[in-house]
Amino acid sequence: MKLKSHIHNIIKDAFVKADIKYEPVMVSEASKPEFGDYQFNGAMALSKKLKKNPREIAQNILDALDCTGMLAKAEIAGPGFINLWLNPLWLAKESQIALQDVRLGIKKRDNPIKVVVDYSGPNMAKEMHVGHLRSTIIGDTLANLLSFLGDEVIRQNHIGDWGTQFGMLIAYLEMKDEDGSVSLKDLEQFYKDAKAEFDANEEFADKAREYVVKIQSGDKHCLQLWQKFIDISLGHCQEVYDKLDVNLRPDDVRAESFYNDALPKVIEALDAKGMLVQSNGAQCVFLEEEETPVIVQKGDGGYLYATTDLAALRYRVEVLGARRISYVVDARQREHFKQIFMVAKEAGFVSKNVKLEHIAFGTMMDKEGKPFKTRDGGTVKLIDLLDEAVVKASETIKNKEDYSKEEIDALAKIIGIGAVKYADLSINRESNYIFSWDKMLSFEGNTSLYMQYAYARIRSLFRRHGGSIKGEIVIGDTLEHRLVVMLLRFEDVLERAAEDASPHLITTYLYELVTLFMRFYEQNPILKDGVEKEVKMSRLLIADLTAKTIKQGLRLLGIKVVEKL
Ligand code: ARG
């Protein structure tokens, strides 16, 4: 239900009737219950244009406003606001419709587009670390969300699998892997050992350098070693993705090396446009108002991260047909993307109707506000962090007596991983983010556990009720009214979150929803003796829609619910 656009339409009609030229008017959710459900606040802006008193304008609109269907009541307030109350009968009917639909009344877009979401993008030379966590989680949510709303989403995992460090790594792999059994269990350690060998052993270092040239020129033996190394490293990543329960599959990998053949063509295209300038032997693109140029080819002929991104961008537009490309990458790469987008536009790689966006996010910090590190100052491996989350989650719930060991294990996975994801998604992505186990695994506050708990409570309510739920939603009091309005706002929230690529709008919504539900649950008895049957059924239906909304909201965030907690 696109609640807001329904309200917009009613106001639009009133504008026509009142003979005022319609402008994209301002309607917002009322900030306090006494202001109604929504508030029109466009009269002040119009008053300057129309040279009329805002209250008079508001009165004209009010007189023309249709209060017979969706709206129950409208009142002028303050300097010229119009407070709007939705009609409880209309709300009841709409929520009933939502309840009967698996998509909760949310239609797929009429004009879906192809969207590439570029996320995760770990480097193959090293193990995935916490820095890749945020990209993976935020990107996955954005992809889930857009595809739920009907867009055709193409997930692209732009892994770093090319570059000079691979010469060293494959030379070391060859040296260590005489019998073909090196498992590379610990990539981090492997990298360190290879580096130590490189620094200490002149002969090895020469070989490593030679191997760089050899992979680049397509030497079969070296490419085989390289492929082996990448396969193992990607296997580690897939393990993390599966643990994290994100929707990234091997098919989504479009590695940097995939674009190798397209790199010279990028240079040619830029050259044809007259955009290349030689500077200290390198090929550069100078951009207006940018201090540093974009280097696209080094003096020795080698290409750069930026060149690959330009090639990838062309591929996404020309071959994949993307109309929106969302790069979910660390805020520190802001300048890089700004420049890439500028070059791509200037070179005509993208037309105006393609939206390019850098979905930047801040750094993960520890409790002291320092970048997240292990106790001895190393980078935290993602896999270890996730395992720890599960252990910590099982400590939180281990006192639950009516669970078997297996149940606790299964629950701990859902709760622990959910907590890590939710905590990350629930803050404005551009902010740095303070990682705290205690906070994220709390039953109270804006946490996944609070949402999962609310969901489980509703499910247990249904178990206690036992029978079927037949009846109609009848809004009985202000609290039920507010709760239903909140439930019907879900689609608006999702649209907004998708537009701004801001998952925290979903978590904020869920938190408000669940907080409201908890109040309703405490104040309005459901299964207690003496509650009339119709009231009981109506409340159960409201609870049901709440549970389904929580479940759907969490599902978009990649978090599961549990039936019992
Ligand atoms: N591998 C890069 C890194 O770890 C991230 C890749 C992001 N995507 C892109 N198209 N550049 O920094």
Side-chain angles (χ1 to χ4, degrees):
M1 148 84 18
K2 287 197 166 60
L3 195 48
K4 224 171 184 169
S5 69
H6 276 82
I7 298 171
H8 273 266
N9 287 339
I10 287 200
I11 293 184
K12 221 181 203 170
D13 290 344
F15 268 70
V16 175
K17 266 202 204 147
D19 203 21
I20 303 175
K21 197 174 152 277
Y22 179 76
E23 316 227 353
V25 280
M26 303 295 289
V27 176
S28 53
E29 284 89 30
S31 56
K32 284 186 188 160
E34 52 270 36
F35 297 160
D37 299 310
Y38 281 83
Q39 198 168 50
F40 166 78
N41 48 20
M44 276 70 82
L46 278 172
S47 89
K48 284 191 201 101
K49 276 202 189 134
L50 304 177
K51 303 205 168 46
K52 255 190 188 173
N53 172 330
R55 273 188 82 98
E56 202 182 318
I57 296 170
Q59 188 62 50
N60 292 345
I61 296 168
L62 186 73
D63 292 341
L65 205 59
D66 175 11
C67 284
T68 60
M70 179 185 183
L71 292 182
K73 188 169 89 166
E75 271 173 14
I76 297 185
F81 294 112
I82 305 177
N83 294 344
L84 305 162
W85 279 263
L86 298 175
N87 183 345
L89 293 174
W90 185 87
L91 287 172
K93 191 183 83 206
E94 292 300 327
S95 50
Q96 202 103 13
I97 293 172
L99 198 49
Q100 269 143 29
D101 178 16
V102 277
R103 294 179 52 87
L104 306 176
I106 300 175
K107 294 203 181 62
K108 291 204 174 194
R109 288 197 171 137
D110 295 332
N111 305 309
I113 55 166
K114 274 197 188 170
V115 188
V116 163
V117 184
D118 176 323
Y119 69 107
S120 197
N123 295 326
M124 292 296 105
K126 292 195 172 181
E127 200 119 356
M128 271 179 96
H129 57 84
V130 295
H132 296 111
L133 180 66
R134 302 207 68 197
S135 171
T136 308
I137 295 177
I138 298 169
D140 202 53
T141 296
L142 181 63
N144 294 343
L145 180 58
L146 291 172
S147 90
F148 178 70
L149 294 176
D151 283 337
E152 192 184 320
V153 174
I154 308 171
R155 297 164 195 256
Q156 294 280 279
N157 191 356
H158 192 84
I159 62 166
D161 68 341
W162 205 247
T164 48
Q165 70 273 52
F166 290 99
M168 174 182 94
L169 290 165
I170 62 170
Y172 195 66
L173 180 67
E174 186 182 46
M175 187 169 121
K176 286 283 149 190
D177 193 27
E178 277 160 357
D179 58 354
S181 67
V182 162
S183 70
L184 268 118
K185 247 211 185 89
D186 192 334
L187 260 184
E188 215 58 35
Q189 195 54 47
F190 187 84
Y191 187 94
K192 273 187 204 147
D193 295 346
K195 182 81 176 60
E197 188 73 26
F198 185 88
D199 292 338
N201 180 344
E202 198 48 48
E203 208 179 307
F204 175 78
D206 283 342
K207 184 156 200 181
R209 279 188 281 266
E210 180 193 321
Y211 275 22
V212 174
V213 181
K214 278 191 165 175
I215 342 177
Q216 281 171 351
S217 58
D219 175 88
K220 227 174 161 183
H221 171 68
C222 284
L223 275 180
Q224 257 168 12
L225 280 170
W226 169 78
Q227 190 61 53
K228 180 169 181 189
F229 184 88
I230 299 298
D231 288 347
I232 297 172
S233 184
L234 252 185
H236 285 289
C237 296
Q238 194 58 46
E239 214 182 301
V240 172
Y241 298 148
D242 292 344
K243 258 199 189 155
L244 250 188
D245 199 14
V246 293
N247 291 309
L248 270 176
R249 308 274 166 267
D251 277 356
D252 303 318
V253 170
R254 200 63 93 237
E256 287 186 4
S257 65
F258 174 81
Y259 302 102
N260 282 349
D261 293 343
L263 301 176
K265 293 181 199 135
V266 169
I267 307 296
E268 273 166 37
L270 296 175
D271 197 22
K273 282 264 170 187
M275 289 169 66
L276 292 184
V277 175
Q278 266 217 20
S279 168
N280 295 328
Q283 298 287 357
C284 304
V285 178
F286 284 86
L287 294 161
E288 229 171 279
E289 287 175 35
E290 286 291 294
E291 271 173 34
T292 50
V294 186
I295 307 175
V296 287
Q297 191 170 22
K298 289 188 281 190
D300 65 6
Y303 302 100
L304 296 102
Y305 184 53
T307 329
T308 308
D309 253 327
L310 285 167
L313 201 152
R314 287 182 98 182
Y315 173 80
R316 290 163 183 186
V317 174
E318 288 165 20
V319 182
L320 300 180
R323 284 278 309 279
R324 172 176 176 179
I325 311 181
S326 308
Y327 295 81
V328 189
V329 187
D330 195 322
R332 282 171 294 192
Q333 294 194 31
R334 204 181 293 270
E335 196 52 28
H336 166 74
F337 285 108
K338 186 177 166 208
Q339 293 195 329
I340 292 301
F341 297 167
M342 284 170 90
V343 174
K345 280 177 195 155
E346 203 176 312
F349 294 168
V350 280
S351 60
K352 281 210 183 69
N353 62 5
V354 177
K355 182 173 172 187
L356 300 175
E357 53 182 1
H358 174 207
I359 311 298
F361 54 82
T363 311
M364 190 153 134
M365 306 289 201
D366 64 15
K367 271 201 214 126
E368 277 83 50
K370 297 204 192 80
F372 205 78
K373 291 265 155 68
T374 54
R375 235 168 268 138
D376 54 12
T379 45
V380 176
K381 281 199 227 162
L382 209 42
I383 201 103
D384 295 343
L385 182 100
L386 298 180
D387 289 342
E388 193 172 346
V390 175
V391 171
K392 288 223 179 333
S394 68
E395 279 162 15
T396 324
I397 52 169
K398 71 168 180 249
N399 297 331
K400 304 221 169 245
E401 282 148 15
D402 44 345
Y403 285 106
S404 67
K405 164 106 181 44
E406 287 73 39
E407 278 175 318
I408 293 271
D409 286 350
L411 262 183
K413 271 191 200 148
I414 295 177
I415 292 173
I417 299 299
V420 170
K421 285 176 146 180
Y422 194 97
D424 190 323
L425 294 167
S426 64
I427 52 142
N428 187 337
R429 63 177 158 76
E430 305 230 23
S431 324
N432 286 344
Y433 152 51
I434 305 221
F435 190 92
S436 153
W437 288 119
D438 295 342
K439 224 167 117 190
M440 74 174 70
L441 282 165
S442 164
F443 277 94
E444 299 290 323
N446 189 10
T447 64
S448 55
L449 206 46
Y450 183 55
M451 310 303 148
Q452 287 164 330
Y453 178 62
Y455 179 85
R457 259 180 105 166
I458 299 175
R459 301 299 298 168
S460 104
L461 186 72
F462 290 150
R463 282 194 294 276
R464 277 184 286 137
H465 166 66
S468 63
I469 309 169
K470 277 205 201 90
E472 274 177 36
I473 293 180
V474 180
I475 294 175
D477 63 12
T478 333
L479 203 50
E480 291 183 5
H481 181 103
R482 286 178 60 205
L483 181 54
V484 170
V485 172
M486 184 66 92
L487 287 164
L488 291 179
R489 277 182 49 204
F490 190 41
E491 182 169 359
D492 284 341
V493 172
L494 296 186
E495 281 292 345
R496 185 68 206 286
E499 181 60 28
D500 300 355
S502 288
H504 81 278
L505 297 176
I506 303 178
T507 59
T508 305
Y509 167 79
L510 287 176
Y511 185 49
E512 283 177 36
L513 172 67
V514 169
T515 308
L516 209 50
F517 174 79
M518 290 301 196
R519 279 180 54 197
F520 154 82
Y521 189 71
E522 273 154 33
Q523 286 178 30
N524 296 6
I526 301 179
L527 299 183
K528 251 203 192 137
D529 288 343
V531 179
E532 270 177 62
K533 187 159 179 244
E534 285 74 33
V535 175
K536 184 205 260 182
M537 288 305 168
S538 169
R539 288 181 182 166
L540 281 170
L541 289 168
I542 294 175
D544 194 17
L545 186 57
T546 306
K548 288 182 168 141
T549 306
I550 298 172
K551 184 175 182 177
Q552 181 59 49
L554 288 180
R555 183 188 290 156
L556 294 172
L557 306 175
I559 299 171
K560 290 197 173 82
V561 288
V562 293
E563 293 298 308
K564 207 166 92 171
L565 196 68

